[in-house]
Amino acid sequence: MNWQAAAPEIFLACSGLVILLLGVSLRQDRSKLCTWLTLGAFGVAGWLVVGTSPATAYEGLYVADGFAGFAKLLILAGGALSMILALDYNAQQRIARFEFPVLVLFSTVGMMTMASAANLMTLYIGLELQSLAIYVLAAFARDDIRSSEAGLKYFVLSALASGLLLYGISLAYGFAGTMQIGQLATAMTDPANLPAGVAVAVAFVIAGLAFKLSAVPFHMWTPDVYQGAPTPVTAFMSTAPKVAPFVVLLRVMLVGFGHVGAQWQPIIEIVSIASMILGSLAAIAQSNIKRLMAYSSIGHMGYALIGLAVGTEAGVRGVLIYLLTYIVMSAGTFACIIAMQRRGQQVDRIADLGGLARNDLPLAAVMAIFMFSMAGLPPMAGFFGKVYVFLAAVQAGFWTLAIIGVLTSVVGCFYYLRVIKVMFFDGAEAAFDRRTASVSAVAFAAGAFTLFFFAMPAPFVGAAARAARVLLG
Amino acid sequence: MITLFFYLFSAVLLGASAMVVTSRNPVHAVLFLILAFLNAAALFLIAGAEFLALTLVVVYVGAVAVLFLFVVMMLDVDFVQLREGFQRYAPVGAAVGLVLFGELAAVLFGWEAWSGSFAVRGSATPSSVSNTVALGQVLYTHYVYLFQLSGLILLVAMIGAIVLTHRERRGALRQDIGRQQARRVDETLEILQVPSRAGAGQIGLFRPKHLPSPVRDREPVERA
């Protein structure tokens, strides 16, 4: 047994236990120390991911390949960025506790396991580990009624989604006699003779994972949870926990159910179209920036799902590039949102951004970069994400998806540009508190990546292409 | 004989499950749930899955259902108020239920396992050992990764419960072992000369001066 294939996860889990013990045994509050240690552990785990050679381990339950490696690096980056954002925010809001980084760490272990899932059971357990930690994180500001509401709402609805997913998995197992994703494919090679149960199984698996992606029609929880959760937790939820269900959805659908594409392709298309339309239309009416970001993430998941509906290697590559650019600009946007504090209180109305350009030009500029990028305007990183997905759709003849995608992007421009208009041209509100170093670091690093992605996209696009080839090859 | 028991347990199971959702008193509902679990466990036993049967009894009856019972009894939930919207939502709920039922029926009647499914099954039905042994043989070997991850899930659940509910209370009395160990005799004891035949009535109650008086006590009586 080559247990070393899972070295990144094992290392991360063990360091999580050590950090937990450390946090418990130290008398004073050591949340910052624990956060830095966790960040260090993430760094080492990332190095281990890069160094892991492709292998299948644990009787085929676990696979470490280039595709999983790419996803894991994204997941680690998302987790690390949101933990940096939480460094000063939690202390300011008096919710700093050492359990925060530990929960993020265990959630990340769950997500990395999902990325490496070669078996539906591995998928499920990874998903539960991820979700359980996020329920707690969403309710982390436990004296804030909105945060508690967010945690409870997410917990109840997510438990239902997990039930649907399990039901789908059990039906698939009942048909094929195996939960190995690779062996499912052999069971499904004869699409003409599939019983109705398999179609139901596929639909339920999609429903369970689409819930985690907050794709329409399983998006209802998103705005409330995004708004209620502490902002760094919202940042976390919109980065890494979007990547993990997405890559596992890619693997299950394209590898496990690859032969029965006719069963799931229409479902994914409808989910994608509905997400794009709802994401762009419902966001128009929002006056709260966190709710706006919630609808924006629904829309973005819709665009990324185009790549899955297409199902080609180019489509997978598009999804991976989309996820990469999305988590960076999303983390950056939330860094800017965290900077929206007056007298130590988080403010989150869009109108609160008024006059930001006069009070804090660098912050307004970097926020503008993220908004342009979210809208998909060239030459920002978000533009490339959309281009590769739409390109894959057009190449494979999915014109409807591409056209709807372009149209909803245009509608989306309206509300992203409205944020920029408020910042640069609207009435002056009082200045925000001084930005903390951690927030500035994340905002400007993400801003630089988003702005200069066009200068050297080749390494990222190349890595995504290799990962896609590994998945489908 | 087995068949008779099968139908007996199944009938009680179905009846108990129906009572769980229809009974008005939530405590009765939980008790019927326990009855349903017990009958399901009996069905598992008939099917030869003794490990599942015992787990069902130990975990679901012993822990989960009792927990439910406590929650139902201790939380002040007005179930009449909870049911208020029932009439209004009943048609929608019934429609959703009907659709789900239809799908389930379609799955059930159109069911057919893949012909190769027996060949790829993770572990074949054990013939020489009981299924508890068979489960133990794979749980800690083939599935060790998942087993450990399940442990992490439980750990996260525990951390979560502590994070969300634990509060440092001010004024709570805690044992400070260091201080206990550092105490010396002369801090603790005071040796008094008590005249013989003088009871507490004459010398009064005595309390060492360096100890704080208990909150509820009246003024400590000083030594005369």
Side-chain angles (χ1 to χ4, degrees):
Chain A
M1 174 187 279
N2 50 343
W3 59 271
Q4 302 92 333
E9 283 89 344
I10 294 172
F11 171 78
L12 215 49
C14 292
S15 42
L17 297 178
V18 171
I19 293 168
L20 183 66
L21 280 180
L22 191 73
V24 173
S25 53
L26 290 176
R27 283 298 163 97
Q28 310 97 318
D29 176 50
R30 294 290 184 166
S31 56
K32 286 214 167 157
L33 174 72
C34 289
T35 307
W36 285 114
L37 285 176
T38 312
L39 285 170
F42 273 35
V44 177
W47 176 71
L48 286 172
V49 168
V50 175
T52 309
S53 47
T56 309
Y58 301 102
E59 304 287 330
L61 293 172
Y62 178 99
V63 59
D65 55 12
F67 178 71
F70 186 89
K72 282 180 197 177
L73 290 180
L74 286 189
I75 290 165
L76 285 169
L81 286 175
S82 30
M83 234 170 352
I84 297 174
L85 289 180
L87 259 179
D88 294 319
Y89 178 90
N90 283 2
Q92 284 164 345
Q93 304 294 321
R94 295 167 194 281
I95 51 171
R97 301 182 63 162
F98 72 90
E99 288 96 341
F100 189 94
V102 174
L103 285 170
V104 173
L105 185 147
F106 284 131
S107 179
T108 307
V109 173
M111 288 186 272
M112 289 168 70
T113 304
M114 282 168 81
S116 273
N119 185 301
L120 295 177
M121 213 167 7
T122 319
L123 181 171
Y124 178 72
I125 289 188
L127 187 71
E128 282 305 298
L129 184 55
Q130 174 216 310
S131 310
L132 198 61
I134 296 180
Y135 306 147
V136 181
L137 287 173
F140 207 77
R142 58 186 190 180
D143 294 322
D144 178 9
I145 191 156
R146 277 177 189 279
S147 175
S148 308
E149 179 200 336
L152 188 64
K153 222 171 221 176
Y154 189 39
F155 172 62
V156 172
L157 293 176
S158 189
L160 187 67
S162 294
L164 292 181
L165 177 70
L166 269 184
Y167 187 53
I169 291 176
S170 69
L171 282 178
Y173 177 67
F175 170 71
T178 176
M179 284 192 265
Q180 288 293 112
I181 293 172
Q183 288 176 344
L184 275 180
T186 26
M188 312 260 172
T189 36
D190 186 14
N193 285 331
L194 290 183
V198 173
V200 177
V202 173
F204 276 123
V205 170
I206 291 178
L209 290 173
F211 175 90
K212 308 286 174 187
L213 290 178
S214 65
V216 180
F218 311 103
H219 65 285
M220 273 80 90
W221 58 276
T222 322
D224 290 343
V225 176
Y226 269 42
Q227 187 186 3
T231 315
V233 177
T234 315
F236 182 56
M237 285 199 284
S238 73
T239 52
K242 292 276 184 285
V243 177
F246 215 118
V247 292
V248 91
L249 189 64
L250 286 175
R251 199 190 285 277
V252 172
M253 289 300 142
L254 294 176
V255 178
F257 296 121
H259 295 289
V260 288
Q263 304 278 1
W264 54 262
Q265 232 151 18
I267 303 180
I268 296 285
E269 276 180 50
I270 291 170
V271 168
S272 163
I273 290 174
S275 302
M276 290 189 287
I277 292 178
L278 185 115
S280 55
L281 292 185
I284 294 175
Q286 302 305 320
S287 61
N288 181 299
I289 187 109
K290 282 164 88 177
R291 290 183 85 84
L292 179 87
M293 288 307 296
Y295 284 106
S296 150
S297 84
I298 294 172
H300 281 293
M301 287 304 114
Y303 296 120
L305 279 170
I306 293 178
L308 173 58
V310 171
T312 58
E313 204 176 296
V316 177
R317 181 189 64 172
V319 172
L320 293 179
I321 296 170
Y322 204 105
L323 289 175
L324 166 69
T325 55
Y326 176 69
I327 66 163
V328 175
M329 62 193 179
S330 186
T333 311
F334 278 105
C336 296
I337 295 176
I338 287 175
M340 296 170 60
Q341 297 191 13
R342 292 212 177 92
R343 275 183 249 113
Q345 289 296 314
Q346 173 88 58
V347 290
D348 51 10
R349 286 179 311 133
I350 294 174
D352 285 318
L353 285 165
L356 183 63
R358 245 157 299 162
N359 296 330
D360 188 351
L361 185 61
L363 188 70
V366 76
M367 181 74 163
I369 290 175
F370 295 131
M371 291 295 117
F372 279 129
S373 177
M374 292 258 177
L377 297 180
M380 306 302 175
F383 167 73
F384 289 92
K386 286 203 171 73
V387 161
Y388 282 106
V389 171
F390 291 158
L391 209 63
V394 170
Q395 279 169 353
F398 287 78
W399 283 97
T400 332
L401 283 175
I403 290 172
I404 293 179
V406 171
L407 288 180
T408 51
S409 301
V410 174
V411 177
C413 276
F414 168 74
Y415 59 83
Y416 293 124
L417 295 185
R418 189 175 54 141
V419 174
I420 296 177
K421 178 213 150 217
V422 170
M423 288 191 301
F424 282 85
F425 304 111
D426 271 12
E429 297 268 332
F432 295 136
D433 297 346
R434 246 175 69 81
R435 304 192 294 273
T436 53
S438 59
V439 164
S440 305
V442 172
F444 292 114
F449 179 87
T450 309
L451 185 58
F452 296 113
F453 183 77
F454 75 92
M456 45 179 299
F460 302 105
V461 175
R466 276 194 299 279
R469 204 171 310 129
V470 167
L471 181 71
L472 294 177
Chain B
M1 194 61 187
I2 292 284
T3 325
L4 180 71
F5 275 111
F6 174 77
Y7 283 112
L8 177 70
F9 289 132
S10 309
V12 178
L13 174 60
L14 288 177
S17 320
M19 290 304 287
V20 172
V21 279
T22 53
S23 63
R24 291 197 162 271
N25 187 331
V27 177
H28 292 176
V30 177
L31 292 176
F32 276 114
L33 188 66
I34 294 176
L35 182 63
F37 282 146
L38 285 175
N39 282 283
L43 287 180
F44 275 132
L45 268 184
I46 291 177
E50 78 279 354
F51 183 78
L52 269 183
L54 292 178
T55 315
L56 196 67
V57 173
V58 172
V59 176
Y60 280 87
V61 179
V64 176
V66 172
L67 189 72
F68 277 2
L69 206 56
F70 267 111
V71 170
V72 165
M73 284 177 170
M74 292 182 69
L75 287 187
D76 184 22
V77 181
D78 188 351
F79 285 91
V80 179
Q81 199 185 2
L82 269 183
R83 281 162 201 262
E84 258 176 11
F86 185 73
Q87 295 282 340
R88 206 149 32 97
Y89 295 118
V92 183
V96 172
L98 211 63
V99 171
L100 272 180
F101 186 77
E103 286 177 350
L104 274 179
V107 169
L108 190 65
F109 291 116
W111 192 255
E112 188 189 342
W114 174 49
S115 51
S117 63
F118 285 92
V120 296
R121 271 196 305 193
S123 47
T125 314
S127 51
S128 55
V129 292
S130 71
N131 71 39
T132 309
V133 175
L135 205 61
Q137 278 170 352
V138 290
L139 189 58
Y140 307 107
T141 54
H142 291 196
Y143 296 103
V144 64
Y145 186 66
L146 301 186
F147 184 74
Q148 294 292 342
L149 277 178
S150 312
L152 277 190
I153 293 180
L154 293 179
L155 176 69
V156 167
M158 193 178 78
I159 299 174
I162 293 173
V163 165
L164 294 182
T165 58
H166 176 71
R167 282 174 202 277
E168 288 283 332
R169 283 194 304 168
R170 290 228 185 86
L173 296 175
R174 287 243 164 70
Q175 189 179 22
D176 186 344
I177 296 173
R179 232 183 78 200
Q180 283 180 351
Q181 298 290 341
R183 243 154 75 121
R184 290 196 313 270
V185 174
D186 55 336
E187 286 174 19
T188 316
L189 296 178
E190 200 163 331
I191 311 294
L192 296 177
Q193 284 293 335
V194 181
S196 56
R197 290 174 186 271
Q202 278 173 347
I203 61 166
L205 287 174
F206 174 76
R207 187 176 294 283
K209 283 197 180 121
H210 60 270
L211 279 186
S213 61
V215 184
R216 280 200 213 122
D217 250 7
R218 273 179 258 128
E219 281 292 307
V221 182
E222 290 294 332
R223 191 167 149 237

